mmCIF file of all heavy atoms in Angstrom:
data_model
loop_
_atom_site.group_PDB
_atom_site.id
_atom_site.type_symbol
_atom_site.label_atom_id
_atom_site.label_comp_id
_atom_site.label_asym_id
_atom_site.label_seq_id
_atom_site.Cartn_x
_atom_site.Cartn_y
_atom_site.Cartn_z
ATOM 1 N N ASP Z 1 164.052 57.902 159.855
ATOM 2 C CA ASP Z 1 163.609 57.194 158.658
ATOM 3 C C ASP Z 1 162.825 58.078 157.680
ATOM 4 O O ASP Z 1 162.048 57.597 156.891
ATOM 5 C CB ASP Z 1 162.789 55.970 159.022
ATOM 6 C CG ASP Z 1 163.557 54.984 159.848
ATOM 7 O OD1 ASP Z 1 164.820 54.853 159.590
ATOM 8 O OD2 ASP Z 1 163.018 54.319 160.738
ATOM 9 N N VAL Z 2 162.916 59.354 157.821
ATOM 10 C CA VAL Z 2 162.224 60.257 156.867
ATOM 11 C C VAL Z 2 163.187 60.948 155.966
ATOM 12 O O VAL Z 2 164.369 61.061 156.306
ATOM 13 C CB VAL Z 2 161.329 61.267 157.674
ATOM 14 C CG1 VAL Z 2 160.317 60.558 158.570
ATOM 15 C CG2 VAL Z 2 162.217 62.200 158.545
ATOM 16 N N PRO Z 3 162.714 61.488 154.861
ATOM 17 C CA PRO Z 3 163.652 62.214 153.943
ATOM 18 C C PRO Z 3 164.148 63.533 154.518
ATOM 19 O O PRO Z 3 163.601 63.976 155.587
ATOM 20 C CB PRO Z 3 162.749 62.477 152.710
ATOM 21 C CG PRO Z 3 161.344 62.381 153.152
ATOM 22 C CD PRO Z 3 161.368 61.382 154.281
ATOM 23 N N LEU Z 4 165.168 64.104 153.931
ATOM 24 C CA LEU Z 4 165.730 65.385 154.485
ATOM 25 C C LEU Z 4 164.812 66.484 154.223
ATOM 26 O O LEU Z 4 164.891 67.542 154.956
ATOM 27 C CB LEU Z 4 167.098 65.594 153.787
ATOM 28 C CG LEU Z 4 168.186 64.520 154.071
ATOM 29 C CD1 LEU Z 4 169.432 64.842 153.361
ATOM 30 C CD2 LEU Z 4 168.432 64.437 155.600
ATOM 31 N N GLU Z 5 164.040 66.510 153.133
ATOM 32 C CA GLU Z 5 163.162 67.600 152.782
ATOM 33 C C GLU Z 5 161.705 67.213 152.864
ATOM 34 O O GLU Z 5 161.419 66.032 152.602
ATOM 35 C CB GLU Z 5 163.490 68.154 151.366
ATOM 36 C CG GLU Z 5 164.859 68.696 151.205
ATOM 37 C CD GLU Z 5 165.091 69.977 152.017
ATOM 38 O OE1 GLU Z 5 164.077 70.626 152.283
ATOM 39 O OE2 GLU Z 5 166.242 70.279 152.324
ATOM 40 N N PRO Z 6 160.752 68.089 153.106
ATOM 41 C CA PRO Z 6 159.322 67.697 153.117
ATOM 42 C C PRO Z 6 158.844 67.186 151.694
ATOM 43 O O PRO Z 6 159.354 67.650 150.674
ATOM 44 C CB PRO Z 6 158.625 69.045 153.403
ATOM 45 C CG PRO Z 6 159.605 69.832 154.166
ATOM 46 C CD PRO Z 6 160.954 69.495 153.497
ATOM 47 N N VAL Z 7 157.946 66.215 151.789
ATOM 48 C CA VAL Z 7 157.482 65.643 150.508
ATOM 49 C C VAL Z 7 156.340 66.545 149.952
ATOM 50 O O VAL Z 7 155.610 67.179 150.687
ATOM 51 C CB VAL Z 7 156.974 64.185 150.672
ATOM 52 C CG1 VAL Z 7 158.051 63.314 151.070
ATOM 53 C CG2 VAL Z 7 155.786 64.121 151.676
ATOM 54 N N SER Z 8 156.214 66.600 148.618
ATOM 55 C CA SER Z 8 155.162 67.329 147.933
ATOM 56 C C SER Z 8 153.990 66.484 147.618
ATOM 57 O O SER Z 8 154.077 65.555 146.770
ATOM 58 C CB SER Z 8 155.693 68.019 146.703
ATOM 59 O OG SER Z 8 154.705 68.624 145.949
ATOM 60 N N VAL Z 9 152.842 66.758 148.193
ATOM 61 C CA VAL Z 9 151.628 65.938 147.930
ATOM 62 C C VAL Z 9 151.150 66.081 146.457
ATOM 63 O O VAL Z 9 150.839 65.148 145.798
ATOM 64 C CB VAL Z 9 150.416 66.354 148.848
ATOM 65 C CG1 VAL Z 9 149.205 65.623 148.512
ATOM 66 C CG2 VAL Z 9 150.821 66.044 150.325
ATOM 67 N N SER Z 10 151.309 67.312 145.920
ATOM 68 C CA SER Z 10 150.920 67.547 144.538
ATOM 69 C C SER Z 10 151.812 66.740 143.538
ATOM 70 O O SER Z 10 151.372 66.195 142.570
ATOM 71 C CB SER Z 10 150.963 69.046 144.239
ATOM 72 O OG SER Z 10 152.284 69.515 144.372
ATOM 73 N N GLU Z 11 153.091 66.642 143.939
ATOM 74 C CA GLU Z 11 154.022 65.914 143.055
ATOM 75 C C GLU Z 11 153.694 64.424 143.139
ATOM 76 O O GLU Z 11 153.737 63.668 142.116
ATOM 77 C CB GLU Z 11 155.491 66.105 143.534
ATOM 78 C CG GLU Z 11 156.581 65.394 142.768
ATOM 79 C CD GLU Z 11 156.574 65.856 141.294
ATOM 80 O OE1 GLU Z 11 156.212 67.052 141.027
ATOM 81 O OE2 GLU Z 11 156.982 65.019 140.468
ATOM 82 N N LEU Z 12 153.295 63.942 144.361
ATOM 83 C CA LEU Z 12 152.866 62.512 144.515
ATOM 84 C C LEU Z 12 151.635 62.238 143.630
ATOM 85 O O LEU Z 12 151.490 61.142 143.015
ATOM 86 C CB LEU Z 12 152.682 62.205 145.972
ATOM 87 C CG LEU Z 12 153.900 62.158 146.855
ATOM 88 C CD1 LEU Z 12 153.498 61.940 148.317
ATOM 89 C CD2 LEU Z 12 154.879 61.072 146.412
ATOM 90 N N ILE Z 13 150.686 63.158 143.721
ATOM 91 C CA ILE Z 13 149.429 63.009 142.935
ATOM 92 C C ILE Z 13 149.739 62.986 141.419
ATOM 93 O O ILE Z 13 149.205 62.216 140.657
ATOM 94 C CB ILE Z 13 148.412 64.108 143.306
ATOM 95 C CG1 ILE Z 13 147.961 63.884 144.806
ATOM 96 C CG2 ILE Z 13 147.248 64.141 142.388
ATOM 97 C CD1 ILE Z 13 147.076 65.020 145.307
ATOM 98 N N LYS Z 14 150.622 63.915 141.036
ATOM 99 C CA LYS Z 14 151.020 63.942 139.598
ATOM 100 C C LYS Z 14 151.625 62.657 139.187
ATOM 101 O O LYS Z 14 151.301 62.082 138.081
ATOM 102 C CB LYS Z 14 152.013 65.108 139.370
ATOM 103 C CG LYS Z 14 152.542 65.259 137.947
ATOM 104 C CD LYS Z 14 153.534 66.390 137.867
ATOM 105 C CE LYS Z 14 154.063 66.451 136.417
ATOM 106 N NZ LYS Z 14 155.082 67.465 136.302
ATOM 107 N N GLN Z 15 152.511 62.077 140.005
ATOM 108 C CA GLN Z 15 153.127 60.781 139.682
ATOM 109 C C GLN Z 15 152.066 59.713 139.630
ATOM 110 O O GLN Z 15 152.095 58.820 138.707
ATOM 111 C CB GLN Z 15 154.147 60.391 140.732
ATOM 112 C CG GLN Z 15 155.406 61.246 140.750
ATOM 113 C CD GLN Z 15 156.392 60.856 141.820
ATOM 114 O OE1 GLN Z 15 156.412 59.746 142.201
ATOM 115 N NE2 GLN Z 15 157.166 61.879 142.287
ATOM 116 N N GLN Z 16 151.047 59.741 140.530
ATOM 117 C CA GLN Z 16 149.932 58.828 140.515
ATOM 118 C C GLN Z 16 149.143 58.894 139.240
ATOM 119 O O GLN Z 16 148.795 57.892 138.605
ATOM 120 C CB GLN Z 16 149.080 58.986 141.743
ATOM 121 C CG GLN Z 16 147.883 58.038 141.785
ATOM 122 C CD GLN Z 16 146.922 58.393 142.886
ATOM 123 O OE1 GLN Z 16 146.614 59.565 143.051
ATOM 124 N NE2 GLN Z 16 146.370 57.417 143.608
ATOM 125 N N GLN Z 17 148.884 60.140 138.803
ATOM 126 C CA GLN Z 17 148.112 60.381 137.570
ATOM 127 C C GLN Z 17 148.873 59.850 136.362
ATOM 128 O O GLN Z 17 148.216 59.252 135.422
ATOM 129 C CB GLN Z 17 147.767 61.840 137.388
ATOM 130 C CG GLN Z 17 146.799 62.399 138.427
ATOM 131 C CD GLN Z 17 145.453 61.775 138.309
ATOM 132 O OE1 GLN Z 17 145.006 61.397 137.245
ATOM 133 N NE2 GLN Z 17 144.728 61.560 139.523
ATOM 134 N N GLU Z 18 150.181 60.021 136.335
ATOM 135 C CA GLU Z 18 150.940 59.530 135.200
ATOM 136 C C GLU Z 18 150.909 58.001 135.082
ATOM 137 O O GLU Z 18 150.771 57.420 134.050
ATOM 138 C CB GLU Z 18 152.384 59.941 135.313
ATOM 139 C CG GLU Z 18 152.556 61.460 135.151
ATOM 140 C CD GLU Z 18 153.978 61.926 135.436
ATOM 141 O OE1 GLU Z 18 154.788 61.078 135.952
ATOM 142 O OE2 GLU Z 18 154.286 63.086 135.142
ATOM 143 N N ILE Z 19 150.952 57.305 136.301
ATOM 144 C CA ILE Z 19 150.857 55.856 136.302
ATOM 145 C C ILE Z 19 149.438 55.414 135.820
ATOM 146 O O ILE Z 19 149.325 54.458 135.003
ATOM 147 C CB ILE Z 19 151.097 55.360 137.737
ATOM 148 C CG1 ILE Z 19 152.628 55.494 138.053
ATOM 149 C CG2 ILE Z 19 150.766 53.860 137.841
ATOM 150 C CD1 ILE Z 19 153.003 55.189 139.439
ATOM 151 N N LEU Z 20 148.385 56.096 136.345
ATOM 152 C CA LEU Z 20 147.060 55.781 135.899
ATOM 153 C C LEU Z 20 146.878 55.925 134.400
ATOM 154 O O LEU Z 20 146.118 55.158 133.755
ATOM 155 C CB LEU Z 20 146.061 56.626 136.693
ATOM 156 C CG LEU Z 20 145.923 56.289 138.227
ATOM 157 C CD1 LEU Z 20 144.979 57.259 138.867
ATOM 158 C CD2 LEU Z 20 145.404 54.859 138.404
ATOM 159 N N THR Z 21 147.460 56.978 133.897
ATOM 160 C CA THR Z 21 147.413 57.230 132.440
ATOM 161 C C THR Z 21 148.098 56.118 131.662
ATOM 162 O O THR Z 21 147.529 55.597 130.663
ATOM 163 C CB THR Z 21 148.079 58.579 132.059
ATOM 164 O OG1 THR Z 21 147.381 59.645 132.712
ATOM 165 C CG2 THR Z 21 147.998 58.852 130.565
ATOM 166 N N ARG Z 22 149.236 55.684 132.135
ATOM 167 C CA ARG Z 22 149.946 54.599 131.447
ATOM 168 C C ARG Z 22 149.182 53.321 131.567
ATOM 169 O O ARG Z 22 149.026 52.538 130.675
ATOM 170 C CB ARG Z 22 151.326 54.435 132.054
ATOM 171 C CG ARG Z 22 152.304 55.550 131.675
ATOM 172 C CD ARG Z 22 153.750 55.174 132.021
ATOM 173 N NE ARG Z 22 154.045 55.003 133.415
ATOM 174 C CZ ARG Z 22 154.406 55.888 134.232
ATOM 175 N NH1 ARG Z 22 154.481 57.215 133.813
ATOM 176 N NH2 ARG Z 22 154.597 55.619 135.529
ATOM 177 N N ASN Z 23 148.538 53.029 132.731
ATOM 178 C CA ASN Z 23 147.707 51.875 132.944
ATOM 179 C C ASN Z 23 146.499 51.900 132.010
ATOM 180 O O ASN Z 23 146.082 50.815 131.509
ATOM 181 C CB ASN Z 23 147.304 51.738 134.404
ATOM 182 C CG ASN Z 23 148.519 51.413 135.328
ATOM 183 O OD1 ASN Z 23 149.543 51.004 134.831
ATOM 184 N ND2 ASN Z 23 148.308 51.458 136.615
ATOM 185 N N GLY Z 24 145.909 53.085 131.861
ATOM 186 C CA GLY Z 24 144.720 53.216 130.953
ATOM 187 C C GLY Z 24 145.122 52.911 129.506
ATOM 188 O O GLY Z 24 144.369 52.275 128.773
ATOM 189 N N GLU Z 25 146.334 53.302 129.132
ATOM 190 C CA GLU Z 25 146.797 53.030 127.738
ATOM 191 C C GLU Z 25 146.974 51.515 127.624
ATOM 192 O O GLU Z 25 146.698 50.963 126.533
ATOM 193 C CB GLU Z 25 148.120 53.791 127.523
ATOM 194 C CG GLU Z 25 148.750 53.520 126.132
ATOM 195 C CD GLU Z 25 147.896 54.071 124.980
ATOM 196 O OE1 GLU Z 25 146.964 54.896 125.294
ATOM 197 O OE2 GLU Z 25 148.135 53.625 123.867
ATOM 198 N N ASN Z 26 147.529 50.893 128.650
ATOM 199 C CA ASN Z 26 147.639 49.422 128.610
ATOM 200 C C ASN Z 26 146.312 48.743 128.461
ATOM 201 O O ASN Z 26 146.130 47.782 127.721
ATOM 202 C CB ASN Z 26 148.365 48.922 129.916
ATOM 203 C CG ASN Z 26 149.793 49.384 129.983
ATOM 204 O OD1 ASN Z 26 150.404 49.775 129.026
ATOM 205 N ND2 ASN Z 26 150.383 49.242 131.147
ATOM 206 N N GLN Z 27 145.329 49.241 129.207
ATOM 207 C CA GLN Z 27 143.968 48.651 129.126
ATOM 208 C C GLN Z 27 143.384 48.796 127.712
ATOM 209 O O GLN Z 27 142.746 47.915 127.183
ATOM 210 C CB GLN Z 27 143.107 49.336 130.170
ATOM 211 C CG GLN Z 27 141.712 48.692 130.307
ATOM 212 C CD GLN Z 27 141.797 47.240 130.734
ATOM 213 O OE1 GLN Z 27 142.678 46.830 131.481
ATOM 214 N NE2 GLN Z 27 140.930 46.379 130.192
ATOM 215 N N ARG Z 28 143.633 50.010 127.132
ATOM 216 C CA ARG Z 28 143.165 50.245 125.714
ATOM 217 C C ARG Z 28 143.798 49.212 124.803
ATOM 218 O O ARG Z 28 143.131 48.652 123.897
ATOM 219 C CB ARG Z 28 143.507 51.690 125.295
ATOM 220 C CG ARG Z 28 142.908 52.052 123.911
ATOM 221 C CD ARG Z 28 143.477 53.359 123.502
ATOM 222 N NE ARG Z 28 144.903 53.267 123.204
ATOM 223 C CZ ARG Z 28 145.364 52.638 122.159
ATOM 224 N NH1 ARG Z 28 144.636 52.117 121.205
ATOM 225 N NH2 ARG Z 28 146.739 52.589 121.966
ATOM 226 N N LYS Z 29 145.075 48.966 124.943
ATOM 227 C CA LYS Z 29 145.740 48.034 124.107
ATOM 228 C C LYS Z 29 145.241 46.608 124.269
ATOM 229 O O LYS Z 29 145.126 45.802 123.334
ATOM 230 C CB LYS Z 29 147.292 48.068 124.353
ATOM 231 C CG LYS Z 29 147.908 49.362 123.871
ATOM 232 C CD LYS Z 29 149.355 49.429 124.161
ATOM 233 C CE LYS Z 29 150.052 50.753 123.699
ATOM 234 N NZ LYS Z 29 151.441 50.804 124.002
ATOM 235 N N ARG Z 30 144.940 46.236 125.561
ATOM 236 C CA ARG Z 30 144.379 44.938 125.812
ATOM 237 C C ARG Z 30 143.020 44.786 125.133
ATOM 238 O O ARG Z 30 142.703 43.738 124.529
ATOM 239 C CB ARG Z 30 144.256 44.694 127.293
ATOM 240 C CG ARG Z 30 145.533 44.619 128.054
ATOM 241 C CD ARG Z 30 145.334 44.172 129.497
ATOM 242 N NE ARG Z 30 146.542 44.233 130.273
ATOM 243 C CZ ARG Z 30 146.856 45.264 131.094
ATOM 244 N NH1 ARG Z 30 146.053 46.303 131.107
ATOM 245 N NH2 ARG Z 30 147.999 45.227 131.703
ATOM 246 N N ALA Z 31 142.224 45.879 125.212
ATOM 247 C CA ALA Z 31 140.893 45.805 124.571
ATOM 248 C C ALA Z 31 140.950 45.673 123.092
ATOM 249 O O ALA Z 31 140.231 44.995 122.431
ATOM 250 C CB ALA Z 31 140.122 47.073 124.957
ATOM 251 N N GLN Z 32 141.984 46.354 122.509
ATOM 252 C CA GLN Z 32 142.260 46.230 121.112
ATOM 253 C C GLN Z 32 142.636 44.864 120.692
ATOM 254 O O GLN Z 32 142.174 44.318 119.641
ATOM 255 C CB GLN Z 32 143.321 47.248 120.695
ATOM 256 C CG GLN Z 32 143.602 47.262 119.167
ATOM 257 C CD GLN Z 32 144.799 48.151 118.882
ATOM 258 O OE1 GLN Z 32 145.646 48.356 119.688
ATOM 259 N NE2 GLN Z 32 144.778 48.715 117.695
ATOM 260 N N ALA Z 33 143.439 44.183 121.544
ATOM 261 C CA ALA Z 33 143.792 42.762 121.247
ATOM 262 C C ALA Z 33 142.636 41.851 121.245
ATOM 263 O O ALA Z 33 142.446 40.945 120.475
ATOM 264 C CB ALA Z 33 144.809 42.309 122.268
ATOM 265 N N VAL Z 34 141.680 42.113 122.271
ATOM 266 C CA VAL Z 34 140.493 41.283 122.322
ATOM 267 C C VAL Z 34 139.623 41.491 121.103
ATOM 268 O O VAL Z 34 139.029 40.577 120.492
ATOM 269 C CB VAL Z 34 139.704 41.618 123.637
ATOM 270 C CG1 VAL Z 34 138.347 41.022 123.610
ATOM 271 C CG2 VAL Z 34 140.499 41.237 124.863
ATOM 272 N N GLN Z 35 139.521 42.773 120.703
ATOM 273 C CA GLN Z 35 138.694 43.095 119.539
ATOM 274 C C GLN Z 35 139.261 42.437 118.226
ATOM 275 O O GLN Z 35 138.537 41.905 117.468
ATOM 276 C CB GLN Z 35 138.650 44.573 119.316
ATOM 277 C CG GLN Z 35 137.792 45.077 118.188
ATOM 278 C CD GLN Z 35 137.764 46.625 118.107
ATOM 279 O OE1 GLN Z 35 138.463 47.278 118.773
ATOM 280 N NE2 GLN Z 35 136.901 47.114 117.159
#
């Protein structure tokens, strides 16, 4: 049940940071709507 090649932790962290960045943008837009 594991992939054929080893996973890259740095790539996983990069993907996490991209999601957090998009989530932060969403939060900014929500704050703008409240304002």
